[in-house]
Amino acid sequence: MMYDNKSFLKSCALFLLLIGIGISLQAQTVLQTDYFKITIDGRGYITSMLNITKKPFREFSPADKPSPLMTLYNAKKRVYSYPEKAVYSKTEKIITVVYSNGSSARIRIEPHTKYFKMKLLSLTNSQDIEAIQWGSYHTNITNLMGEIIGVSRDTSESVNFAIGMMALNDNTLGGTADIQGDAAPFQYIIHSPDANRFPLPNHLHEGQVFTLGGNGISDVAFYAHKEPYYRILYGNAAEVDKNGRISITYQSRDRRGQREVYYSLIPNMPSNKPNHLQVQPLPGVDYIGSAIAFYGSPDSTALMDVVQNIVKMEGLPYPTVNGKWIKDPAAYVPDVLTEGGLYDKMIDYTHQLGFKAISLYDQAFLRPDRGNKGYLDGKNFENKPLKLTSGNLSHKEYGDIAKKLNIVIGRTPITNSLAPGTLDASPVPSDSLWYQQKRLLAKEINATDTIILVDDPTYLDEIGSWQGHVKSLNIIKIGKELIHYLGVSDTKPYRLLNVKRGYWKTTASAHKAMDTLYKLQVTIDYGYDGLIPNMQLQDKIAEYYADICYLNGLGYYDFDGQEFLFNNGHGYYSTKRFFGKMFAKAKQHGIPDIRFTGATLSEGSWHYQSIWNVGGGKNLYDAETREWGSETSQGKDLRDVSYANYFPVGMGGNFPITEKSTVEEYEHIQAMAVGTGATYSLKLNQKNVESCPQKDQIFKVIRTWENARAANAFPRWIKQHLVDPTQSFRLEELDVNTWNLYRVNNKTSSKQLLAKLTRAKGY
């Protein structure tokens, strides 16, 4: 037998090197936490995921679908590279993975007591790799998929196990690397959470995708399927295969270079078809350093035991309310939503109810206008928009009164939409606006010319943004002038059609040949009209919202148009960065964590967002028929999304107290809220509340339930009773630590003691 001496010497050198740095040459690597054991084979695939909390150990890794530890994504070719070889160093806790494209990744894997921490340290041959992807990690769980935060859950008593991931830095996002714009499509997928209870009809199969309902503009009409196996999606950090098995995925992207995406949040609807969008390069934002926590644990304790531990140990955002983490079900609490424009008794009502926030929803939209430097009512608070019979007040004056009772007030902003007439939009538009396309002016123009020639017509025929394709928002910017147009000619010389100069009261002026022309990225109409900022300006707007709270005594926001944070093409990263900047500035001001709801929920906002009380009325929860959404499926859809993602369920703006309201209604509302883990925004119109004969008793009922909820007094088995809409309950407070819960007979009004509830330790 002949030997190649050079090859032989290289092999010896490599062997000695591996031995020298303590690398194990075993084919398999076995790692474990207190609850979870995984096996990684010599190719770099997870081949076993065991629940080690009870015997016999249950296997959750499908035999036919091993999970790649990490994959690489070439966005230009739209192909993944998969691991082929992996070697683990026990001493360094580093696994070196070699890929099919010749790349080599060094990944640190640190087992902690309740999770594995994985971090990408380096990657060779990475010039064509735009993104790396953790997973997908495949499980044989078929119950609940948490597509926002990436968790696969079996909530049954017999199995009771969850497997999930969590990003440990802002540029690691829930979802797959091939998603355009880093925000997964909003759509329906077919998935039965229980094939025995909810079998699929013959014409449907697991994983089948459907578009939303309605015309693509009315958000209520989106929700069009009450069947339990139509699952609406708010992300793709969890997905299902044809057998209903759930996989989880995170990714991280190189944001430093020029790129273009073809993006729409609702790409399957004609009214929201994708637009081509240039994405702003962000120096220093790369996938090297991307890190995740990977965990498996009993599902019933996963949120408070494991997820909370990850958040605290890894220094992730940890907002609190009443001293408790906002994800703690005992910290879930409804808010007051004002109607009628009269505020004499709103603070008193809120205090009686035990709520902590008042949404001044009957005030107009709050638009980000840095021109007022954060002063909503003038620098001396001379404006008094809040009406009281004793005399009108500024936000600051009203907020100071509320603060004495540990209550905050809040408003509804249009997130990052720069409206006409605001500092950054018009009449002098900022140079920090973001755009879909950048072109050059082919020929100089004076201040009155409407013949505008461009060097390249590509994509200039696309109307507005992806959302509704609003013709009135088809805007270009040249210098400090905004120009409206519709269409572009088909032949040379290429010119813009239907041109209107000096749009939004900007100043029409002369422009030179080869000046830059920006087709701006915009929002939508219906009062949301605005321009999208670039990332640096968006950072300033986020800080501006914290300034508003500090200066005006606010502590709550309802971020309408929250999806506009995706419109720059950076998706969930943009959202994390926005709320991170807002919370950091609030901390600098020394004010409490800002409580907020919004128009959507995403992996980008999950840590920061307190609640999700979007929409309302019978679309969310109908207390009369006792169903989640009697008019549309919105209540069912949003309940399923929230619950699966360890997030408080929202009942929306709902349940107004009127002259016909009864105590029994609110006993049921509170029972369902506590059982489901829900919050709501209680609509209060002062005139209507005062007309209600039972208002004081209603306030007392709600306060009693909320006191017990804050005491974490409801065990899991009780909550399973409370979510049954056929049952009725009554809760009576014996003292500050003890409550009697009764089941009520609806026909005879007789009551039977179901349980004596007590305050949990630590609450």
Side-chain angles (χ1 to χ4, degrees), residues 176-197:
T176 57
D178 59 353
I179 288 297
Q180 293 282 298
D182 288 328
F186 186 25
Q187 57 196 3
Y188 277 109
I189 193 170
I190 299 300
H191 174 61
S192 175
D194 187 327
N196 293 323
R197 293 175 60 203

Side-chain angles (χ1 to χ4, degrees), residues 702-717:
I702 295 174
R703 180 66 179 260
T704 298
W705 281 89
E706 289 304 323
N707 284 347
R709 171 152 59 174
N712 199 23
F714 296 95
R716 191 180 184 203
W717 72 270

Side-chain angles (χ1 to χ4, degrees), residues 320-370:
T320 61
V321 58
N322 300 329
K324 298 296 182 184
W325 184 39
I326 58 172
K327 298 299 183 294
D328 184 341
Y332 298 171
V333 60
D335 309 305
V336 163
L337 188 150
T338 62
E339 290 188 323
L342 189 60
Y343 299 103
D344 297 87
K345 298 188 176 182
M346 288 297 169
I347 294 174
D348 180 56
Y349 293 159
T350 307
H351 181 59
Q352 288 186 61
L353 290 162
F355 296 176
K356 301 302 177 185
I358 304 173
S359 174
L360 306 177
Y361 196 72
D362 44 11
Q363 298 293 312
F365 281 150
L366 178 62
R367 304 183 188 282
D369 184 4
R370 297 189 307 134

